[in-house]
Amino acid sequence: MNTANYENLAGKHILIIVENLPVPFDRRVWQEATTLREAGAEISIICPKMKGYTAAFQQLDGIDIYRHPLPIEASGALGYLVEYGTSIFWWYWYAIKIFARKRFHVIHGCNPPDLIFTVALPFKLLGVSYVFDHHDINPEFYLAKFDKKDFFYRLMLLFERITYGVANASIATNESYREIAIRRGKMKPENVTIVRSGPKLERLRIVPGNDTYKKGRRYLVGYLGVIAQTEGIDLLLEAVQKLVALRQDIQFAIVGGGTSLDEMKMLAQTLGVAEYVDFYGRIPDDLLLEVLNTADVCVNPDRPTEMNNLSTMNKIMEYMALKKPIVQFDLKEGRFSAQKASLYARPNDIDDFADKIAYLLDNETIRLDMGEFGYQRVASELSWAHERGKLLRFYDRLLAPKFGRKSQPADEPITTPAGVVE
């Protein structure tokens, strides 16, 4: 796409802060950063150091990346306190350092957590705008993790409300998040723009598979994503147990890292399915593509919670970009993304999840048709090639001299013939 027409972006300096993943590993953040850079903006990023991304400073594709130490990858309340407290210190340290080198015009905060406003507030006094890029709904995440609406749940709601109050404008990843910004965040509808995390087809290449990953079995079922509590890997392993009790021709490949990785490896041992499941951890793109291209079916076992119901999962569209049929639990945004590229198991019904995997493996023609539908949907509607223009229009409007006084409306939601709002 031609980026030369976004004149308000040219020469502007944007500071992106992301706490939970390093860049460029965080694909959404990296796609946003490179898109803005291509349009003429100068981009600086503050993010954590994590395995494979440990350089304190790196310039990549003309983008300055500042990585700070992260003592732990949190899982409990005390862990989160230490992790976020450390992160806030480094956000301030690097933001001041970067601002002293060259004034930035926007802080672009990518949650979680909903605490980046603490850094944005003092810089707003200096004329810097704050953009909230809403990746995860933290109050719903707390509910999914602890199942109670206590003081900390109310604190999550407060942080979310303050974040929206501080933000000049916000970016939502889907219509559900946009509705939260307007209803709970009290943002003006014209200041909330949907930019989906569409995959780049040039990165997610369809390449020949490698039967080595099938470990001598006939089929491979693939998973790509975070290994944590809400991702339902335990549910997937229970489905594996049910499948291998009936047939031994399926191998499972789980790609990704996270706080529950070791726990899930132990669970696979406990359930007696370890020989059927390979945990690859976080791996380079070339290996990831080789594994997923080998898969006959890909799965999304996200636990049916309100957070997962309202969230768009990147892995769904990445599976579709590789022409893979999908099995997932029936969740609102998951169904919107995949449509006919997926089969939908009843929420928390492990037997139904296992049965749908087996059905697809035994029906190659259906697998191929679903994979083709998914690929065409991504190519024609959901890829980053379609979403990047929304981001550029959002920023061109934000940086216009009259933003907030005579605002132009944000991209209007698109209603499909089925009545689904995108």
Side-chain angles (χ1 to χ4, degrees):
M1 179 181 292
N2 184 3
T3 59
N5 296 325
Y6 301 101
E7 57 186 26
N8 294 318
L9 263 168
K12 297 298 193 298
H13 187 189
I14 299 168
L15 172 63
I16 299 176
I17 301 177
V18 53
E19 193 278 340
N20 64 330
L21 288 174
V23 174
F25 181 79
D26 189 318
R27 291 300 178 187
R28 175 182 173 87
V29 173
W30 189 241
Q31 287 180 172
E32 290 175 327
T34 53
T35 295
L36 294 169
R37 181 73 184 92
E38 289 163 4
E42 181 175 344
I43 307 297
S44 299
I45 300 175
I46 302 172
C47 67
K49 292 180 181 179
M50 288 185 178
K51 183 179 178 181
Y53 302 90
T54 57
F57 175 79
Q58 182 181 16
Q59 190 172 76
L60 189 62
D61 294 346
I63 295 170
D64 291 340
I65 304 172
Y66 299 83
R67 300 191 185 98
H68 60 79
L70 201 61
I72 56 172
E73 192 171 358
S75 58
L78 180 59
Y80 283 118
L81 179 63
V82 173
E83 178 184 332
Y84 294 158
T86 301
S87 296
I88 290 172
F89 168 80
W90 287 111
W91 295 342
Y92 270 102
W93 174 269
Y94 278 121
I96 293 169
K97 179 179 178 179
I98 294 166
F99 194 82
R101 178 182 64 82
K102 182 177 180 180
R103 179 186 188 276
F104 44 77
H105 302 83
V106 180
I107 292 178
H108 180 128
C110 308
N111 85 324
D114 293 338
L115 294 172
I116 301 173
F117 75 86
T118 59
V119 180
L121 268 173
F123 284 99
K124 286 197 72 173
L125 298 175
L126 301 174
V128 176
S129 297
Y130 181 48
V131 167
F132 176 47
D133 192 350
H134 197 184
H135 292 191
D136 291 302
I137 36 179
N138 280 339
E140 282 76 7
F141 175 75
Y142 184 85
L143 274 179
K145 195 172 181 65
F146 300 107
D147 195 27
K148 54 185 176 182
K149 294 185 177 181
D150 56 5
F151 167 78
F152 292 104
Y153 171 77
R154 294 190 292 274
L155 190 63
M156 296 298 102
L157 288 173
L158 175 63
F159 287 156
E160 180 187 80
R161 180 68 187 89
I162 295 174
T163 293
Y164 280 118
V166 173
N168 298 78
S170 72
I171 297 172
T173 54
N174 59 35
E175 182 62 32
S176 296
Y177 278 31
R178 183 174 188 269
E179 192 273 335
I180 286 172
I182 295 167
R183 175 174 54 84
R184 276 200 322 230
K186 309 300 181 186
M187 292 209 77
K188 295 179 180 180
E190 63 267 25
N191 290 341
V192 186
T193 295
I194 296 174
V195 181
R196 294 181 177 273
S197 299
K200 278 189 173 181
L201 295 180
E202 55 267 36
R203 180 181 77 88
L204 288 164
R205 307 180 310 278
I206 297 175
V207 299
N210 185 340
D211 284 348
T212 301
Y213 303 111
K214 294 186 176 182
K215 301 297 178 67
R217 308 189 198 281
R218 182 175 181 182
Y219 300 111
L220 183 69
V221 174
Y223 169 85
L224 169 65
V226 176
I227 315 298
Q229 182 179 347
T230 60
E231 273 65 31
I233 303 302
D234 56 330
L235 303 180
L236 174 60
L237 293 175
E238 291 179 34
V240 174
Q241 185 185 44
K242 292 182 179 298
L243 283 165
V244 302
L246 301 173
R247 54 195 294 176
Q248 291 76 51
D249 59 347
I250 314 170
Q251 190 70 18
F252 291 79
I254 297 180
V255 178
T259 55
S260 297
L261 179 57
D262 290 339
E263 181 185 350
M264 291 301 103
K265 288 180 178 179
M266 292 182 62
L267 180 60
Q269 293 281 357
T270 301
L271 294 175
V273 300
E275 67 176 292
Y276 295 92
V277 182
D278 294 305
F279 290 90
Y280 288 87
R282 288 174 179 159
I283 55 178
D285 274 2
D286 288 347
L287 179 55
L288 180 153
L289 289 173
E290 196 171 77
V291 172
L292 289 186
N293 273 288
T294 306
D296 300 283
V297 171
C298 286
V299 293
N300 176 31
D302 282 338
R303 196 174 298 277
T305 64
E306 188 61 8
M307 175 185 173
N308 288 338
N309 188 51
L310 299 179
S311 300
T312 298
M313 304 303 174
N314 294 345
K315 55 181 164 284
I316 294 295
M317 289 179 285
E318 291 175 336
Y319 296 157
M320 293 161 67
L322 296 175
K323 294 192 175 183
K324 299 303 173 183
I326 303 160
V327 175
Q328 60 181 314
F329 290 115
D330 196 358
L331 300 173
K332 175 185 174 182
E333 291 295 340
R335 182 178 279 272
F336 175 82
S337 294
Q339 297 186 4
K340 293 189 291 185
S342 179
L343 296 183
Y344 302 92
R346 293 183 293 272
N348 289 315
D349 191 331
I350 295 166
D351 289 328
D352 194 29
F353 199 91
D355 288 345
K356 284 181 165 53
I357 292 173
Y359 173 78
L360 285 180
L361 293 177
D362 293 336
N363 289 275
E364 182 180 11
T365 300
I366 293 174
R367 292 202 310 269
L368 294 173
D369 288 346
M370 290 171 63
E372 185 62 32
F373 174 88
Y375 178 81
Q376 293 301 329
R377 175 158 166 73
V378 167
S380 62
E381 299 178 61
L382 299 178
S383 74
W384 187 247
H386 301 282
E387 297 301 313
R388 69 194 304 274
K390 298 177 185 178
L391 178 70
L392 292 173
R393 289 192 293 274
F394 168 86
Y395 258 101
D396 194 56
R397 174 177 164 266
L398 174 77
L399 294 167
K402 294 185 178 180
F403 178 80
R405 286 180 283 160
K406 219 181 229 183
S407 333
Q408 296 300 315
D411 292 339
E412 293 296 328
I414 302 169
T415 305
T416 67
V420 180
V421 178
E422 180 175 5

